[in-house]
Amino acid sequence: AFTTTATEAVVSTQSTGEKNKSKSNTLSFTSLQQVQFVCFHTMIHHILITNTAGNIILSKFYDNLAVDDDNTRTLRFSWEQRVYALTHKEWSLSRNELHQIATDREKTIVYTTIADLMLFVTGSKEYDELVLSEFLTTFVECFKNVLKQKGVNEINFMDQYHKIILYLDEMVKKGVIDQVQYESIYNYSHLKHELPKQITK
């Protein structure tokens, strides 16, 4: 099961107490142009980053668990464990940045492995596995850019944690995918990151 080391909760997902039908399989890709028409109407519920030992280093929620209380913390933990249960047997198939999918009723999880890190994104609505795959591809590209000098691994991720959050904030606005073009994400995040320095000159 997942264990928590450092978790950022922004908003969340529903309870998974019911017994839900689920499946897990390799994702078939489609081009960004083919799925862009639904991209800006897809709800992102949860973004999770762990190491390959299952230790959570980022858990960011975007829906109905925004309030930080005992009940929502319990539901967040339940969903994280649900993600683990649905995916962990197929982790080896996600090596070398191959995308895998798992479904839990109306929710779809797309995940991949990059170096010693696992990246999961959960969303909903029709065709969301295709859009989520494009989203994950772009996020991995951002990931590599931020960590390119020292390499992608857990230690360097924690060192550049704030930059990763900046990229995510450009990609997702209130649970809706806002940007999937790497150049735009890069430019906006760097503009915001550098603006305070320019003002103080």
Side-chain angles (χ1 to χ4, degrees):
F2 286 136
T3 57
T4 302
T5 55
T7 302
E8 173 166 337
V10 176
V11 198
S12 170
T13 180
Q14 67 182 33
S15 170
T16 56
E18 300 176 283
K19 292 183 179 179
N20 299 325
K21 294 181 180 179
S22 61
K23 63 181 180 178
S24 178
N25 55 278
T26 303
L27 181 65
S28 298
F29 281 91
T30 188
S31 68
L32 176 61
Q33 290 73 25
Q34 288 175 294
V35 299
Q36 200 163 22
F37 73 100
V38 293
C39 183
F40 300 104
H41 303 284
T42 297
M43 182 69 187
I44 297 291
H45 296 282
H46 184 219
I47 293 171
L48 177 68
I49 300 175
T50 76
N51 60 24
T52 50
N55 297 312
I56 296 173
I57 56 178
L58 170 67
S59 185
K60 194 173 177 75
F61 291 86
Y62 291 95
D63 56 11
N64 64 313
L65 296 184
V67 179
D68 186 19
D69 58 30
D70 290 341
N71 183 54
T72 54
R73 282 192 290 270
T74 298
L75 293 176
R76 290 168 187 166
F77 177 78
S78 295
W79 176 251
E80 290 164 351
Q81 299 312 305
R82 183 66 174 159
V83 172
Y84 177 84
L86 288 169
T87 65
H88 76 281
K89 291 182 180 179
E90 309 294 336
W91 284 10
S92 62
L93 300 179
S94 69
R95 292 173 181 167
N96 301 317
E97 300 176 33
L98 292 177
H99 291 195
Q100 299 293 315
I101 62 170
T103 60
D104 187 63
R105 299 185 67 179
E106 78 281 4
K107 289 185 174 65
T108 299
I109 305 159
V110 180
Y111 60 100
T112 192
T113 305
I114 174 170
D116 63 347
L117 297 173
M118 301 285 303
L119 282 65
F120 306 81
V121 56
T122 302
S124 64
K125 297 190 183 296
E126 190 176 6
Y127 305 123
D128 56 326
E129 69 273 10
L130 304 176
V131 178
L132 293 173
S133 177
E134 293 295 341
F135 174 90
L136 189 57
T137 297
T138 303
F139 185 44
V140 167
E141 188 176 0
C142 295
F143 217 85
K144 288 180 175 179
N145 179 270
V146 171
L147 303 177
K148 64 183 178 181
Q149 291 185 341
K150 295 184 178 180
V152 178
N153 57 50
E154 181 181 357
I155 294 174
N156 294 335
F157 171 87
M158 296 306 297
D159 187 52
Q160 298 296 323
Y161 185 90
H162 64 291
K163 291 184 180 179
I164 300 295
I165 295 300
L166 282 175
Y167 277 99
L168 277 178
D169 288 346
E170 292 303 323
M171 296 179 72
V172 184
K173 305 290 186 182
K174 297 181 179 179
V176 177
I177 296 175
D178 187 63
Q179 290 285 349
V180 290
Q181 298 292 341
Y182 171 72
E183 292 79 9
S184 297
I185 297 164
Y186 177 87
N187 289 335
Y188 280 121
S189 62
H190 275 256
L191 177 63
K192 291 180 180 179
H193 188 64
E194 295 296 332
L195 190 56
K197 294 181 180 179
Q198 295 173 358
I199 291 175
T200 57
K201 286 183 178 180

